[in-house]
Amino acid sequence: MMKNIVIICTVLLALGMGCSKEKIENEDTGEFTFRVKKNGKDWKVNGAQGHLNREDGTFYVQASGENNELISFNFRRNPLSTGRLAEFNADAVVPACELCAAIAASYSLDPAKDNRFEILGFDNLESRILGKFSVNLKKNRLHDGEFTEESNVYEGTFNVVYKERAW
């Protein structure tokens, strides 16, 4: 039973990461631009993607970076809303190793800190969303691996293509 769970988690992690060796640098690839500083240092982004849930108007923006670490944001879009959002969610997951499904640490928004998430624009013709963020993520105790920080600050900008889906 445990073996099946590990296999399923591995497959889901690989699918969710959208891994691609072609997108190693933080460059404008046409598909995405995602620039991040983690704790003040450049964080190499390997891939980024966006999704829109048509049923409830929730956007999901996700980037994978060094060691397949994953940072995710989600928020609801009000019609034509841009600017700083009062309500959004952010989290990060750090795998135990580059190709494993095991999680070394997970992080979520630290409500005691100043977290900012701003939508700069939507391009409905090309299905793009542009934004910037500065978030403080605090380590969740569920995944209490050693060699991981207690908290991380992620600051950056993104310009990603989003795909519409009905969940």
Side-chain angles (χ1 to χ4, degrees), residues 51-65:
H51 298 283
L52 167 62
N53 180 340
R54 283 184 292 210
E55 293 177 5
D56 68 2
T58 300
F59 276 92
Y60 300 87
V61 175
Q62 181 178 75
S64 61

Side-chain angles (χ1 to χ4, degrees), residues 60-154:
Y60 300 87
V61 175
Q62 181 178 75
S64 61
E66 298 174 17
N67 298 321
N68 284 333
E69 182 175 346
L70 186 66
I71 184 168
S72 304
F73 301 94
N74 67 66
F75 59 94
R76 288 225 170 141
R77 177 182 179 184
N78 296 325
L80 304 175
S81 65
T82 57
R84 186 173 177 186
L85 299 180
E87 293 184 32
F88 69 95
N89 194 17
D91 54 51
V93 176
V94 179
C97 66
E98 188 173 347
L99 299 174
C100 9
I103 296 174
S106 64
Y107 297 84
S108 55
L109 275 178
D110 184 347
K113 306 278 175 108
D114 183 32
N115 296 295
R116 296 174 179 262
F117 189 81
E118 184 176 349
I119 299 303
L120 301 175
F122 292 99
D123 179 345
N124 294 323
L125 295 176
E126 292 189 23
S127 298
R128 287 189 168 278
I129 184 168
L130 296 79
K132 68 180 183 177
F133 56 90
S134 176
V135 294
N136 296 273
L137 302 182
K138 183 177 173 182
K139 187 174 178 183
N140 296 322
R141 292 289 149 222
L142 176 64
H143 303 104
D144 203 10
E146 55 184 296
F147 310 117
T148 57
E149 297 87 359
E150 285 299 310
S151 63
N152 291 305
V153 176
Y154 294 86

Side-chain angles (χ1 to χ4, degrees), residues 1-15 101:
M1 179 69 171
M2 187 62 155
K3 183 178 177 182
N4 291 339
I5 292 172
V6 170
I7 291 170
I8 290 170
C9 288
T10 302
V11 170
L12 290 175
L13 185 62
L15 290 174

